[in-house]
Amino acid sequence: METYRDRFIKMLRFEARQGYENKAVTGGLDHLNQTWPTEARMAGLPEATVLQVSDLLMKYPNYDLLQRRDAIMGILRLLGQEVRSLPALPALSASKPAEVISPQIAAEAQRAVQTKLKSSVSEKPANRVSSGKTPSAEAPGTTTHSQQKPRSSRTNFVPSQADPVGLNAAATVIRGIGEKQGKALQKLGVNRIKDLIYLFPRRYDDYSKLKPIAHLFFGEEVTIVAEVQSAKMFNTKNGRKLLEAVVSDSTGSLRLLWFNQEWHLRYLKPGTMVSISGKVESYMGRLVIMQPDYEPIDQQQLHTNRIVPVYPLTATISQKWLRKTIFNTLQYWVPKVPEFLPDFVLDQGDLIRLDEALRQVHFPDNQDSLKAAQGRLAFDEIFLLQLGVLRQKRDWQDLTGAPHTVSDAWLERQVKALPFPLTKAQHAAVEDLRKDLARHRPMNRLLQGDVGSGKTVVAALGMQMVIQDGGQAALMAPTSILAEQHARTLSKLLTEPKNGEKAFLKPEEVALLTGDTKKKERVELFSGLESGRIKLLIGTHALIEDPVKFQNLQMVVVDEQHRFGVEQRAALRQKGSNPHLLVMTATPIPRSLQLTVFGDLDVSIMDEMPLGRKPISTTILMPALRDRAYHLVESQVQAGHQAFIIYP
């Protein structure tokens, strides 16, 4: 009779014969994780091997062909199979033996067999708790042992602090999470064990402060400890079944009510002490708690008598089931999460350790512990984000860009040709651009200034420095209206003679490209860009389309950069060979946010308005004052001025 192991190996070898295209199994090899771990454990496969194979299957779709072949070989080796007969990839060199595995895949796939486990843990760790018939029936964290004798060959894989491979295993390897629950958890973004640990509560219900029954008030969210006096079922007039339980403490009695939930009678036996949490309501003129959560007080309480986490849910997943599953997962896996911050950083920041933060953010002991946990995790998020942008900056600075230098006399002539004098802030920003453009690495600068501060003029001077040296420049704006406005402004600045000086560019050397540009105009524009006849291109995201090809793009300017995604900006930069990048924004950005989110950019701030610029007055009116806005518009029009109204 063919075993699961034989079928599994056949699938892997069939995948190899199919050229490692991930088509041997409907949905891909990663879908085998829905049944593989359970069948493997039932057959007595070591837990270390189960987790390693599961991890490789999960990552298989993201591997390239060579990595997929190595992954298949690694899995077969873990299962004690011969790999010499596997077909090789056509692109592989004949000098490379078929059994050689890349170091990355080999290290990952064979860690379980290369590393001697120093100690084994119980056959069913805390996160593999057999679920009872109801959440109230058994204590969370209690291990339910099988009646079968444990096999000596089964040992649970305990990942080291330095390399917690198991955290990346599929969430379905946790007992209690089957195929159905696994699919539901995927809708919450939970695919791995690590994802479940980092599925944080969306809010908390504080049931930690106990109150006596006599002190309860309508509308309160409370927790009480009381003794069950009686529990009975009644039929209501509309045919529904009403379960009424009477509980009491030394100060009084209270009724608990459930509709159509007869199964509670099994657990609400007279004389049982329970912890009860819920909202105090009124029914038939009496104070009651409808549909309360309750637990026997001799077991660990997750749903009552504490600060209770409330998680995001999806269909088929209940709050109690998810709460208990996360609790059991934390018990076993949180100690395996490595602490990546050094002690001196923890001390300086007054931060708690990561494992403690993960425990407390899910099941806080008190409000102070919750605040400390949230503070640590918020620090991690900002800290890692900052490291990421600083790495981007380092990578950018490692690139080689074309330098563009201009003399003082040349720059002075261009500034004098402007129809207005520059402010000190504009002069400083122009000098920043001049220094950046003269370097042998590409500029990566953020130009920040309020509307009307003159950012476009600064960008124009920077583009002139590049164009005068034989390069091309492009400016990308988020909307067609803004792109057309930039085109008019730049054409006026660069193509009209001023002060007896020759115009810097000819009108045909400046072009506008938007979604409204006609096909015939596009053909001429693309030809002019590729030949180098067009020196400056202004447009919307149409600039990043495939037909747009520059002869020598040397500078990219992005206006209102937060309106574009990272990939859009990168696509425009790829139109040239490491072109210089200037991004502009009128959105005020606090310095702390600059250092964190825009840490990969050098920043120039335009904090001065040009002379003669009238101050901008902004007024917010509530809907009830709409007529006042209309009267203001009427008065301005009657005075000979103009007004416009913008709708989203």
Side-chain angles (χ1 to χ4, degrees), residues 139-171:
T142 304
T143 304
T144 305
H145 292 282
S146 168
Q147 297 301 315
Q148 294 181 341
K149 265 189 173 181
R151 294 189 176 103
S152 59
S153 61
R154 290 189 67 179
T155 57
N156 288 300
F157 178 49
V158 183
S160 67
Q161 288 288 333
D163 195 10
V165 176
L167 290 169
N168 290 317

Side-chain angles (χ1 to χ4, degrees), residues 3 49 52 99 138 170 182-183 231 254 257 309 323 338 348 389-391 399 425 435 470 473 514 542 544 559 601 622:
T3 66
T49 304
Q52 287 296 319
E99 68 271 20
E138 64 185 45
K183 288 182 178 179
L254 182 71
L257 300 179
R323 199 177 289 146
Q348 289 179 3
V389 295
L390 290 176
R391 180 175 180 177
L399 298 175
K435 291 177 181 177
T514 67
I544 64 177
D559 193 19
L601 299 169
M622 303 304 289

Side-chain angles (χ1 to χ4, degrees), residues 235-408:
N235 291 322
T236 63
K237 292 181 180 180
N238 58 9
R240 292 171 35 167
K241 291 185 176 182
L242 176 66
L243 189 157
E244 180 189 70
V246 178
V247 298
S248 65
D249 62 11
S250 59
T251 67
S253 299
L254 182 71
R255 283 169 170 76
L256 314 177
L257 300 179
W258 293 268
F259 286 101
N260 300 321
Q261 296 187 37
E262 188 174 357
W263 58 268
H264 287 294
L265 289 172
R266 287 179 288 174
Y267 307 104
L268 296 172
K269 303 294 184 183
T272 303
M273 294 295 295
V274 289
S275 173
I276 306 155
S277 294
K279 186 176 182 179
V280 180
E281 301 181 54
S282 178
Y283 183 76
M284 303 291 288
R286 300 177 181 177
L287 292 182
V288 300
I289 298 182
M290 305 286 293
Q291 312 283 124
D293 288 324
Y294 65 91
E295 292 176 313
I297 61 173
D298 59 346
Q299 70 180 35
Q300 178 139 19
Q301 296 166 352
L302 296 183
H303 316 293
T304 63
N305 196 24
R306 64 171 304 134
I307 300 175
V308 178
V310 179
Y311 295 97
L313 297 177
T314 186
T316 73
I317 288 184
S318 70
Q319 196 65 244
K320 274 192 171 184
W321 178 87
L322 183 57
R323 199 177 289 146
K324 184 175 179 180
T325 300
I326 291 178
F327 178 83
N328 292 332
T329 302
L330 293 175
Q331 294 296 102
Y332 182 73
W333 285 106
V334 161
K336 314 299 184 286
V337 177
E339 174 58 73
F340 62 91
L341 290 180
D343 289 340
F344 77 90
V345 174
L346 296 176
D347 293 340
Q348 289 179 3
D350 193 22
L351 302 170
I352 63 176
R353 298 190 66 82
L354 182 56
D355 57 349
E356 182 64 14
L358 290 171
R359 289 191 188 94
Q360 294 297 330
V361 80
H362 286 283
F363 299 99
D365 294 334
N366 50 55
Q367 291 290 348
D368 290 340
S369 297
L370 175 59
K371 186 176 180 181
Q374 292 173 328
R376 166 62 202 268
L377 296 169
F379 178 91
D380 288 357
E381 186 172 349
I382 296 175
F383 180 72
L384 294 174
L385 176 61
Q386 189 170 17
L387 286 181
V389 295
L390 290 176
R391 180 175 180 177
Q392 285 182 337
K393 183 172 185 177
R394 185 193 64 186
D395 293 343
W396 181 265
Q397 290 175 340
D398 288 341
L399 298 175
T400 301
H404 301 280
T405 58
V406 296
S407 64
D408 292 340

Side-chain angles (χ1 to χ4, degrees), residues 53 60 106 164 203 258 332 349 379 384 487 499 562 639:
V53 172
Y60 190 81
R203 66 178 174 86
W258 293 268
Y332 182 73
F379 178 91
L384 294 174
N499 301 331
H562 62 280

